[in-house]
Each structure stands twice: as structure tokens, then as C-alpha cells.
Amino acid sequence: MLQVSIYRYNPETDSAPYMQEFQVDTQGRDVMVLDVLHMMKEQDNGLAYRRSCREGVCGSDGMNMNGKNGLACITPLSEVVKNGKLTLRPLPGLPVIRDLVVDMGLFYQQYERIQPYLQNDEPAPAIERLQSPEDRDKLDGLYECILCACCSTSCPSFWWNPDKFVGPAGLLQSYRFLVDSRDTATQERLAELEDPFSVFRCRGIMNCVAVCPKGLNPTRAIGKIREMLLASGT
Amino acid sequence: MSNMRSLSFDAIIIGGGGAGLRAALELAKSGKKTAVLSKVFPTRSHTVSAQGGITCAIASADPNDDWRWHMYDTVKGGDYIADQDAAEYMCSEGPKAVFELEHMGLPFSRFDNGRIYQRPFGGQSKDFGAGGQAARTCAAADRTGHALLHTLYQNNLKNNTTFLNEWYAVDLVKNANGDVVGCIAMDIETGEVVHVKSKATVLATGGSGRIYASTTNALINTGDGIGMALRAGFPMQDMEMWQFHPTGIYGAGTLVTEGCRGEGGYLVNKDGERFMERYAPNAKDLAGRDVVARSMVMEILEGRGCGENGDHVYLKLDHLGEEVLGKRLPGIVELSKTFAHVDPAKEPIPVVPTCHYMMGGVPTNVHGQAIMRGEDGKDQIVNGLFACGEAACVSVHGANRLGGNSLLDLVVFGRAAGMFIEGALNEGIDYLEASESDVESAMKRITRWNESEGGETVPELKRELQGIMQNSFGVFREEENMQKGVKQLAELRGRIANAHLPDKSNAFNTARVEALELDNLMEVAEATAIAALERKESRGAHSRYDYPDRDDVNWLKHSLYFPTEKKVGKRDVNFAPKTVDMFEPKVRTY
């Protein structure tokens, strides 16, 4: 029997959130945390959490498992359970809508702020724009972000200034476009970031790197943006 | 109903996957009042899981490549019930649509000359089958769907598309003339139910693989658009045609891209034999998916399966080396380690055919306009209703889709629907407003769940439905077993109609969403079952023990399922492409 302690809050019936205990029979199998949630939902129909692809590519089921952010669908119990106990909480720092479902509004706003789309002011050719394999390689480790918010919601700087600090996820995408050989808006992009908060609130704590379920490194991308900002002489 | 809030749009697009986002982008650019209504944040849609690529004759790997060869492959792959005018449109417009994606920023992998990387995929040929294997699938490593979906979402942000994210479409609203004039939708976060009025309603709701117990599909693939259209009385086409992907990870069902075999991987049985050489001497592991899936099942049934129970085969990749795996198939390495506990650089991946794709759907023309049968027995356009992507049956995939053609279908026909709707809106669309009783009839189903007081609950009924489909409508089918399945489904339908939703709360009630999804699974399952029983032949993905041969005399046709009568009719396949000669049906070998 697995002992699961889970954060519950239903705004219609609960004046405050509380932790609820569940006993889950996994029959000794090393299932994923998402499978455990499905079993719990069969016990309690009202349990709310997001899920979609169940294979770690859609980014729906980011949550805090025994104190660490990650995706429930690709986290096996053997990786996370300590002493037969599993504690599940919503991603920290964002308003809770219900149970494990958080309001991702602030997170998405920071993503939108960095203008996450290719900008190129030259007319498009009749075929594709050419890009060397070396230039394309620069996008590896950046474009794979799934917007699960595990990184930004593990970041103390984002907890303090979610409205002003872009956060690791947004900055990773910012760098993805800054470094794309096909993008011509580099100076405009950098100008948008040169204030004390947007980039420079990063204190290099590297929680983002520790939790990213895709193995990406936002801290390195943030370092590169800082270098570009300094080099652009402003 | 009078206190229900309503919203009005020129066009509402239900579904935020590749097809929906491509249609929305076209309309947003035109300045029409458009909204995408999606039950998940758009980048959580199932397009994100597409791996291997988007097949298109952009003449990068081979400068002499020709869209007509791609069209030939598509028609042959579909076992000759793909509509040739639609396949012609997709393959010839394809390059434009793919270059647009690149211009939008899609991070395609590259060849040394800077052009888009293309890899071989199943069923691809040069020179109408005479020139050997082609390499026509444009890829962003093995994360092409992710790259495509994010690029489309990003460009919709750029063009200020309105998003109703985490909204669930419940049912279509029809006016007194039978035109579709919007839908009833629920804001999942608050539970508020809203009447969404629209001059054009686009179903881009994707597939429904969750009718099977074992599927590569996301948990959200519950056929919501198909369910809505069937409840509104509209027919579905070719619903018996379900693709079983050869390489789902054994036990987990997660997909391993055909690109693995495109890059040189191959399947082996328990004796280590590369068995596809026996079934498809020329194309081998890159034969059509239906052919490969059947061959795998034959190996298993004849006792040459792998593992303790002999119930799967192995996909061998280790000979490709870590560098190729890391560069071209990094996502597969990740998935194999997570779900099969296997490092493909060292050991083979255990795989088994797994439900993957719905070739059938809402019958449409190349503009995405939904088609029904008029009183004169001829095709008739459904006013106000459109479909694109997996929810639609244009039909470019016929009885079996080729790998990489799904992503192309999404962008080509999402774009086409958007362009057509823009034109129609410019010319002026004026349908009768829905009356209060029209709206009420679209509210019936959600009201039923909200007022349910007892009965069976959703998870057990869903499991039962998935078991019936898995047992009676899998890779191989036969009369008696299917009849049993149809009967079981009819009985299950009665029980679902009396099922219970215990949680009636409003805020982010996922149990209510799952209950509403179950109704749609039921609709899709029954349409599939009845159509499968009716098609008395073997063609493409539909293989019957009792009718092992293709029957062009009686069944070179689409099936058309009519939900009100639960009867199946036939519809002519298009053999009249506009710019090329049609491809005559031939015996299909690889």
C-alpha cells in the first residue's frame, strides 16, 4: 500500500486548502505518479488535475512530488517515493484553481512577453530559408520546451516577481529566438529585456535546471542573454 | 435558457491542435472575428506527440522529387479509396504549406546544404513505385509534431487570435433549417455553460484512439467532434478504418516513430529473424503500416513472438549507433528508457501494433465543408459546418494512412478551410438564428449528467467500452466476433445513458468533462463497429479472416454511417483528379 498525501482545495466547498490522505494499492508495480492519480480519482471522483499525452511531451501534468517539481506521467514511483510515502502538491507560487490545478496565467503572460515567434523583416523566399546544420544545432536544448512551468515555479526569483521577472521558461524561449540565424529582431528583443528585472533577477540558483523534465538548461540560456545584453553595450 | 450568456464569432474553431491552429491562423490574418475553443491549452493537444515528420515533395533530399509520386504513394497506401482529387490537392499544395511553416520559424533539421532534412518513411517511392524507396518526410529530429504545434501557436499569438482555452464544446446548435450555427460550450475553470454563436463552426477535434484499451493516443483523444456531429444526425465516413501503428511500446502503448525504421532500424522475431523480408520483399520494414502491423500479428500468432508470453516483437536500433540515435531520434531514446526500461543503443525495444489513427471522420470536400446525403441521395453541403485534420475524412488517407501524411493533412486542409471560410464570410453568410428550443436540445446531454442521481460511474463504463473495441475490432476481424461486439455496445449505450456523475461542482470539474467525453467515445465506437461489420472485404487497415480479399466490385467505395438509422450506405470514391490522370486500382504489394 502506498500512502499518498495530496493537496486538496475546492473553492466552492473549502474555506482553506488541506492535505488529504489516500491509501493506494499499486500491487507492487512501479507505476507512474499519473497512474496513481488515476487510481485516486476512481476513489474520489472530485479530484482535479490536468493530463493529456501521458508521455512527457505535452506539459500538462507538472506538479510538486515529494518536494520536487516534475511531470507526473514520466515520474515512476521508484524515483520519487521515500519510505512508502508520496506527497503531491500543485506547482508552487501560482494561484490554485482546484486541487493540483493552478492558474498558469502569469506564466503564459511572461512567455507571450518575449514575443515567442520568429521575426524576419526580409521577404520570404519561394522555398525554405536556408539554415546550416551548425546554426540549427544552436536551437537544440531550447526549442524542446513543453511549457510545463516546472522550472519557473521552482524559481525563488519568479515567486517574488512573477509579473516582472520573465522566468526561466520565458527566457529559454527568448534565447531560442535570439540565437536563431533566421531571426532579424535581435536588437529589438534585447531592448525589451534591458531592465533590472526581466533577466537580471536571475540569481543563478539553478532550480530550473534541476527540475526540467526535458533536461534543458535555462540558466545557461539566461547567461547567454546577459552576455548579449552586455555586448550590445547598453 | 434565457439567462445563459452568449458569445458571437464569425468563425469558431473547436480544437487547438495542428489543424485548428492552422485554420485559425488563416482567419486571424484575415481580420475575421475568430476564436479557437480548446479543452486543453493548445500546446497540450495531441499533435504535440507526432514524432517522425511531415511528408511532402519539397525536393530537398532528392531534387527531382515530384508531388505526383507522393500522390501515387498516398492513393496506393490508402488501398484506392482515398479521393484522388483530395490527394492531388494535398500533395500539390503541400510544399507551399511546409515552406510557410518554415518561414514561421519551425526548427526543421537540416542537410549540409541548409535545406530541410528529409528521411525515408513507409510506403514512399520514386517514379510511381518504379524508382525504389524515397526520402520524403521532413523532420525536426523526432519531435516534428511538437515543433509544428508550438510554431503554429506562436504565430497565432503573433496574429492575436482569440483563445478560449480550457473550454469544452458540448454539442452543436442547429437552427430550424438544420444549419449549424454554433455550439454549446463549457468554461472548464468556472463551469459556466455558454451559447457560442458562429457563422462557421470548424470541427478540428482530432482523433479518438481512446475507444481502444491500447492506443498511442493522448488521454484527451475522445472523438468529441465526431460525437457532436453524430448526435446532430450527420453521417460519418469510413469509420471502420483504424490504423494500428506497428510500433507502440509493449505494455505502455506509447508511440515509437516509423522514422526509426526510416533511419535503418528493423523488426525481429524471437529467432532474431528480420521477418518483414518474407512479407514485403521490396519495402521490407518500410511497407505500409497496415501490412507491417498484420505481419507482426502473424508472427505472434504463429509462435514467433518475443518475451515470456510471446506477445510482442523487437525493434532493433542498436546498430545505428549512439550518434545517429542522439541526433535523429533523441525523443525515442528518452521514451524507450522511460516506458520500456531499455536503452535502444544497447537493446531492442519491445513493440506491438497499437491503435494510432482514425482514417474515417466527418466527410468533407477539399474546402473542409461537411457533407451529408440529400433527399435525392446525392452529396449535400451542411451549411455552417466544417471539419479538418483527423476529425475529417476528406479523404486523403483512404483505408490506410501513410506515415507523415497526417501532419501534412493538418496544415494543408486547416489552411484550406480557413481560406474558404474567409471567402464565404466576405460574400456574406446569413443563417436563421437558433431558437430557444434549438439551444435547449443542444443542452440535453449536459443537463442529463447534471441531474443524474445514481447509477454506474464513468471509469468502469469506459474500461468496458475499450475492452469491447480491443477484443472485437482489432487488427484482424471476423463476423461473429464483431456481431458480439455490436450487441455489447448496444447494451453499453443503454447503461451509459443512465450513468451517474457524482461530482456536480463547477470549478474545474474534470469528472464532468470525462463524463461528456464518454458519450463521444460511445458514439465513435458504435459507428466504428457497425461500419466494420458492414464492410465485407479486407482493404487497408480493415482485415477480415472471413473476407480475406479486397472486393473492388462491391467495395471500391466509402462507407457512410447514418447515426439516426444506425445503417451503413456507400459513397463513391473520387477518381477524377484535375491535373493528372487517375491512378487505376492495382493489386497492392510492397
Side-chain angles (χ1 to χ4, degrees), chain B residues 163-473:
Chain B
F163 284 99
L164 299 174
N165 289 336
E166 298 186 322
W167 280 53
Y168 185 79
V170 177
D171 263 314
L172 296 172
V173 174
K174 289 200 293 183
N175 67 14
N177 300 328
D179 311 322
V180 174
V181 290
C183 66
I184 297 295
M186 177 176 75
D187 177 353
I188 298 173
E189 184 176 332
T190 63
E192 185 190 9
V193 177
V194 175
H195 176 197
V196 181
K197 300 175 184 176
S198 176
K199 293 172 186 160
T201 303
V202 184
L203 298 176
T205 49
S208 186
R210 287 283 152 183
I211 63 170
Y212 287 91
S214 172
T215 176
T216 64
N217 282 195
L219 293 158
I220 58 170
N221 285 24
T222 53
D224 298 325
I226 308 295
M228 285 191 280
L230 283 168
R231 274 190 301 277
F234 299 120
M236 284 303 134
Q237 182 168 281
D238 295 338
M239 287 302 289
E240 66 277 25
M241 299 300 181
W242 282 86
Q243 177 165 86
F244 290 81
H245 195 291
T247 53
I249 292 181
Y250 172 70
T254 41
L255 175 69
V256 174
T257 176
E258 185 169 300
C260 291
R261 283 169 283 138
E263 297 288 347
Y266 54 86
L267 297 163
V268 295
N269 59 22
K270 74 167 183 188
D271 304 322
E273 182 204 7
R274 185 175 180 181
F275 59 86
M276 279 312 299
E277 289 177 339
R278 271 187 280 119
Y279 297 91
N282 298 312
K284 297 177 187 139
D285 295 82
L286 289 177
R289 285 180 180 172
D290 55 334
V291 175
V292 179
R294 271 195 294 278
S295 308
M296 292 166 72
V297 174
M298 292 306 293
E299 288 300 295
I300 292 166
L301 290 176
E302 289 172 7
R304 291 187 293 278
C306 305
E308 238 170 73
N309 301 317
D311 55 357
H312 55 274
V313 302
Y314 284 136
L315 173 64
K316 194 172 145 23
L317 297 177
D318 58 314
H319 57 289
L320 300 179
E322 281 195 36
E323 201 188 320
V324 170
L325 289 174
K327 188 93 195 149
R328 301 295 183 206
L329 302 165
I332 294 308
V333 175
E334 238 178 85
L335 281 171
S336 305
K337 288 179 179 169
T338 307
F339 288 101
H341 309 294
V342 153
D343 177 357
K346 299 190 179 104
E347 293 167 273
I349 310 171
V351 291
V352 72
T354 305
C355 171
H356 183 57
Y357 187 86
M358 176 178 81
M359 269 76 73
V362 179
T364 69
N365 59 21
V366 294
H367 308 300
Q369 292 180 285
I371 291 167
M372 61 179 193
R373 180 154 289 178
E375 279 168 20
D376 56 0
K378 290 187 182 146
D379 284 359
Q380 188 183 315
I381 300 295
V382 180
N383 286 333
L385 185 65
F386 297 80
C388 52
E390 192 169 343
C393 184
V394 181
S395 151
V396 283
H397 309 305
N400 170 63
R401 173 173 72 75
L402 289 189
N405 266 358
S406 178
L407 291 183
L408 187 65
D409 171 4
L410 302 186
V411 292
V412 167
F413 292 105
R415 176 175 175 269
M419 292 191 299
F420 181 85
I421 292 168
E422 182 191 349
L425 287 166
N426 287 340
E427 282 173 25
I429 295 177
D430 192 18
Y431 301 132
L432 193 65
E433 276 240 3
S435 68
E436 202 153 303
S437 73
D438 295 331
V439 176
E440 256 168 58
S441 69
M443 284 286 296
K444 259 190 213 152
R445 171 167 100 91
I446 191 166
T447 308
R448 210 287 299 160
W449 282 108
N450 287 342
E451 290 173 355
S452 69
E453 287 178 351
E456 295 176 273
T457 54
V458 171
E460 54 193 277
L461 291 165
K462 191 185 332 184
R463 253 198 303 275
E464 210 169 307
L465 181 145
Q466 292 166 336
I468 296 169
M469 296 309 292
Q470 193 76 27
N471 292 330
S472 295
F473 303 94

Side-chain angles (χ1 to χ4, degrees), chain A residues 8 12 18 26 43 50 75 78 93-94 104 124 134 194 198:
Chain A
R8 300 301 303 266
E12 290 164 65
Y18 62 98
T26 60
Q43 289 181 39
R50 292 186 175 103
T75 304
S78 57
L94 293 174
M104 310 259 291
E134 295 71 32
E194 58 175 357
S198 298

Side-chain angles (χ1 to χ4, degrees), chain B residues 132-154:
Chain B
Q133 177 73 41
R136 193 173 288 131
T137 300
C138 311
D142 57 356
R143 302 189 178 98
T144 315
H146 170 279
L148 185 149
L149 187 64
H150 280 253
T151 300
L152 284 175
Y153 179 65
Q154 292 162 353

Side-chain angles (χ1 to χ4, degrees), chain B residues 33-52:
Chain B
K33 195 179 173 200
T34 313
V36 174
L37 189 156
S38 173
K39 66 178 175 178
V40 293
F41 181 79
T43 62
R44 325 286 184 214
S45 306
H46 188 53
T47 302
V48 82
S49 290
Q51 298 171 352

Side-chain angles (χ1 to χ4, degrees), chain A residues 10-12 30 32 34 38 41-42 45-60 73-74 97-98 101 103-104 107-108 111-112 116-119 124-134 136-137 139-140 143-148 173 176-177 180 182 213-214, chain B residues 40-41 43-44 48-49 51 58 60 99 102-116 140-141 143 146-147 150 153-155 157-158 166 189 210 215-220 252-255 327 334-335 338-339 459 463 501-503 505-511 514 517:
Chain A
N10 180 341
E12 290 164 65
D30 187 19
M32 301 293 176
L34 182 63
H38 293 335
K41 194 168 172 64
E42 292 206 20
N45 199 229
L47 177 62
Y49 52 92
R50 292 186 175 103
R51 84 288 181 277
S52 173
C53 76
R54 62 81 175 90
E55 58 187 19
V57 294
C58 80
S60 295
C73 60
I74 53 169
I97 296 172
R98 177 174 177 172
V101 178
D103 181 347
M104 310 259 291
F107 174 79
Y108 293 139
Y111 172 66
E112 288 174 29
Y117 37 80
L118 192 83
Q119 298 180 52
I127 59 166
E128 70 269 42
R129 289 196 166 95
L130 301 183
Q131 185 173 47
S132 70
E134 295 71 32
R136 170 59 184 76
D137 282 350
L139 307 183
D140 282 340
Y143 83 96
E144 301 94 323
C145 172
I146 58 174
L147 299 178
C148 63
Q173 286 320 291
R176 176 248 174 277
F177 288 101
D180 194 320
R182 302 169 296 172
K214 305 310 285 182
Chain B
V40 293
F41 181 79
T43 62
R44 325 286 184 214
V48 82
S49 290
Q51 298 171 352
I58 61 163
S60 169
F99 294 141
E102 196 283 330
H103 298 156
M104 287 180 218
L106 200 156
F108 281 112
S109 302
R110 301 287 172 155
F111 284 121
D112 284 341
N113 66 4
R115 292 209 60 190
I116 293 171
R143 302 189 178 98
H146 170 279
H150 280 253
Y153 179 65
Q154 292 162 353
N155 279 269
L157 288 178
K158 185 179 179 184
E166 298 186 322
E189 184 176 332
R210 287 283 152 183
T215 176
T216 64
N217 282 195
L219 293 158
I220 58 170
T254 41
L255 175 69
K327 188 93 195 149
E334 238 178 85
L335 281 171
T338 307
F339 288 101
R463 253 198 303 275
L501 172 67
D503 180 10
S505 60
N506 291 313
F508 222 100
N509 185 340
T510 54
E514 287 179 25
E517 287 173 339

Side-chain angles (χ1 to χ4, degrees), chain B residues 79 241 294 477 535-551:
Chain B
D79 222 348
M241 299 300 181
R294 271 195 294 278
R477 301 163 174 186
R535 186 180 283 272
K536 292 182 172 44
E537 65 157 354
S538 289
R539 180 186 300 274
H542 180 66
S543 314
R544 295 186 57 149
Y545 285 126
D546 43 359
Y547 297 93
D549 299 319
R550 194 171 85 188
D551 175 3

